[in-house]
Amino acid sequence: MSLPSFDDVCRAQDRIAPWIHRTPVLTSETFDAMSCAQLFFKCENFQKAGAFKSRGAVNAVFGLSETEAKRGVATHSSGNHGMALARAAACRGIDCTVVMPETAPQPKIDAVRGYGGQIVFCEPRNAARQETLDAVIADSGANFVPPYDDARVIAGQGSCAKELLEDVPDLDIVIAPVGGGGLISGTALSARALSPATRVIAAEPANADDAKRSREAGERLVEDAPNTIADGLKASLGELTWQFVATEIDDILLADEAEIVEAMRLTWQRMKIIIEPSCAVPLAAILRHRDVFADKRVGVILTGGNVDLQRLPWA
Amino acid sequence: MSLPSFDDVCRAQDRIAPWIHRTPVLTSETFDAMSCAQLFFKCENFQKAGAFKSRGAVNAVFGLSETEAKRGVATHSSGNHGMALARAAACRGIDCTVVMPETAPQPKIDAVRGYGGQIVFCEPRNAARQETLDAVIADSGANFVPPYDDARVIAGQGSCAKELLEDVPDLDIVIAPVGGGGLISGTALSARALSPATRVIAAEPANADDAKRSREAGERLVEDAPNTIADGLKASLGELTWQFVATEIDDILLADEAEIVEAMRLTWQRMKIIIEPSCAVPLAAILRHRDVFADKRVGVILTGGNVDLQRLPWA
């Protein structure tokens, strides 16, 4: 597997432009005052299918040859990547199968089906997930589009920071959450190429801090089933994304569960926008580590807004 | 009391510009598909103090002479107008007193105080409210800034539709909620002047339909304490706003309580933005009266996003 380059990000940006939103950048005097920084929020919660994941999914789907595309795509996901891939496949008019655990929440199941995706359920174990996906692919010949450890996906996610740096050029810091690492890897690619002086910081739940511990250990550590409200960040780094996290980002900052919930609630209350728990981790990290951000111009990637409105963490 | 003119709206827009946001206009493919129309959402939920009310309040406060301003401002409000006036007064560095019923919800009390406003509580009866306000004004000489039935306030609210029509010029319809009528009056002023072919439609809760019944009766009817979740729209028309509603708007469409809650929930879920119940009434009316809006370009004023996140109507 080879690493994507910034040229791949540029090609991805052109390829996906007709199928995604160029999302707006919002500011908030309240959060500027709270952080003593100037924050620029890149609103991927307004992205197609409600999350930045549409970028990588569309890039992968529209990068397939005609022959490949005819066989459709498949993935495993209980979250935003499955929705984004189902939508991307529908845009191209090809089949999409998503392997999901039987325990997946009903809103996620409905969303995948709403975009026309087929769901194959598996037992809620990692091994079962892979076996089920292998069987789907053996049967249909579908192209596997991994949720993050994939050059096409990383390049697609990199288009988000590229847009942000085009719209707000002179950022001192750009911060994004790290789970599997696709977004932070693409973010590092774009920042290094477009704005070498910009520091790239990852934000991670303290309860799922495999990326931070991997950097400290100097090797990729895999965490089994961490427990955090930031459910989009439970995945561990992959082989490709580890290489970016190991060498291309400047720091990883943690936030605990209560801080994540409070940052999410504050964002709803003050910015009047819906963000999901994973999306609140960078702001939580900023408010916890104010010294790092004071007097800086900071780009904050708001990753997604897919929330079950019946189950809010503060209710 | 004389009616404001479109010139007053233009002067208001210049006067308030340094103190308010020029709010963005968002679109939604989901709602376009659901309504068979093209909808342009003017996001006053992102406005300062969370609602369009900042426009009228800032216009009134910054229109005072230096001598008048020294005496401060006062109003009665258990909602967004009180918050907006407290903030506007703080911007000018003058005192603000808000008369609120003892039963006002704690988040509203906190918000007024957060902007530096003084609160004087009264018994939760209309008569007590006016008596208390009269006493405040007799004591301090403060300038009364009414929540809607005031030329300065109407002119300020009119700047919202003016911005919308500048950004999206060729609208077939503009729709806004009607409660006391300040916003719809200002909207009519701007639409008539800038885009005479644009129809101006008011949306009203079926449970608080005094504006619709007033038009049918040909006289201003006052409704006492209507019961609707759209708490910003419980007020009845005033003398000035009735004149606009009687002659300057094209229609009033109703939505019932369940439709309002569903439109609010759908907006959160699909557009990823926070709107309050009153703000959902126009979308609820659009989805109920699809025939009126089909194939039309429709400007929808989203009025505010101040919600108690602990008490959601669908939880």
Side-chain angles (χ1 to χ4, degrees), chain A residues 4-24:
Chain A
S5 67
F6 180 63
D7 280 349
D8 293 320
V9 176
C10 297
R11 276 190 290 271
Q13 186 178 30
D14 291 342
R15 181 182 286 138
I16 70 182
W19 307 103
I20 66 149
H21 287 306
R22 185 173 183 118
T23 52

Side-chain angles (χ1 to χ4, degrees), chain A residues 29-108:
Chain A
E29 285 180 19
T30 300
F31 290 140
D32 284 359
M34 286 178 71
S35 63
C36 303
Q38 244 191 305
L39 307 181
F40 300 88
F41 295 93
K42 174 71 171 164
C43 290
E44 292 292 298
N45 53 331
F46 296 163
Q47 189 50 270
K48 293 290 184 186
F52 75 90
K53 294 278 187 181
S54 276
R55 297 176 180 271
V58 168
N59 190 45
V61 163
F62 282 82
L64 296 173
S65 70
E66 285 297 321
T67 314
E68 290 169 331
K70 285 201 176 73
R71 301 199 304 270
V73 289
T75 196
H76 51 71
S77 166
S78 54
N80 288 333
H81 174 66
M83 286 166 57
L85 191 65
R87 177 189 166 271
C91 289
R92 188 154 179 188
I94 65 176
D95 291 338
C96 175
T97 304
V98 181
V99 173
M100 294 178 94
E102 297 154 349
T103 51
Q106 193 63 39
K108 302 278 185 185

Side-chain angles (χ1 to χ4, degrees), chain A residues 116-198:
Chain A
Q118 298 278 335
I119 297 177
V120 175
F121 289 103
C122 67
E123 288 177 52
R125 298 176 295 110
N126 279 347
R129 191 180 70 172
Q130 192 60 49
E131 285 162 22
T132 308
L133 180 66
D134 290 346
V136 165
I137 291 172
D139 188 47
S140 64
N143 303 272
F144 177 37
V145 179
Y148 49 87
D149 208 36
D150 181 281
R152 304 163 296 177
V153 170
I154 294 169
Q157 319 307 30
S159 66
C160 176
K162 183 166 184 291
E163 288 179 7
L164 174 59
L165 286 160
E166 286 165 355
D167 289 349
V168 192
D170 43 353
L171 292 173
D172 299 306
I173 296 172
V174 61
I175 183 168
V178 61
L183 178 65
I184 199 73
S185 297
T187 301
L189 265 180
S190 288
R192 292 294 175 244
L194 291 174
S195 182
T198 300

Side-chain angles (χ1 to χ4, degrees), chain B residues 75-196:
Chain B
T75 196
H76 51 72
S77 165
S78 54
N80 288 333
H81 175 64
M83 287 165 56
L85 190 65
R87 176 189 167 271
C91 289
R92 189 153 179 188
I94 65 176
D95 290 339
C96 175
T97 304
V98 181
V99 173
M100 293 178 94
E102 296 154 350
T103 52
Q106 194 62 39
K108 303 276 185 188
I109 295 169
D110 295 343
V112 169
R113 288 187 176 143
Y115 287 116
Q118 298 278 335
I119 297 177
V120 175
F121 290 103
C122 66
E123 287 177 55
R125 297 177 293 110
N126 279 346
R129 192 180 67 171
Q130 192 59 50
E131 285 163 23
T132 308
L133 180 66
D134 289 345
V136 165
I137 291 172
D139 189 47
S140 63
N143 303 272
F144 176 35
V145 180
Y148 49 87
D149 208 36
D150 182 280
R152 304 162 296 177
V153 171
I154 293 170
Q157 319 307 29
S159 66
C160 176
K162 183 166 185 290
E163 288 178 6
L164 174 59
L165 286 160
E166 286 165 356
D167 289 347
V168 192
D170 43 354
L171 292 174
D172 299 306
I173 296 172
V174 61
I175 183 169
V178 60
L183 178 65
I184 198 73
S185 298
T187 301
L189 265 180
S190 288
R192 293 293 175 245
L194 290 173
S195 181

Side-chain angles (χ1 to χ4, degrees), chain B residues 1 10 23 72 74 79 96 104 108 117 119 122 141 183 220 222 227 275:
Chain B
M1 291 196 293
C10 297
T23 52
C96 175
K108 303 276 185 188
I119 297 177
C122 66
L183 178 65
R220 181 167 73 99
V222 173
N227 183 20
I275 64 169

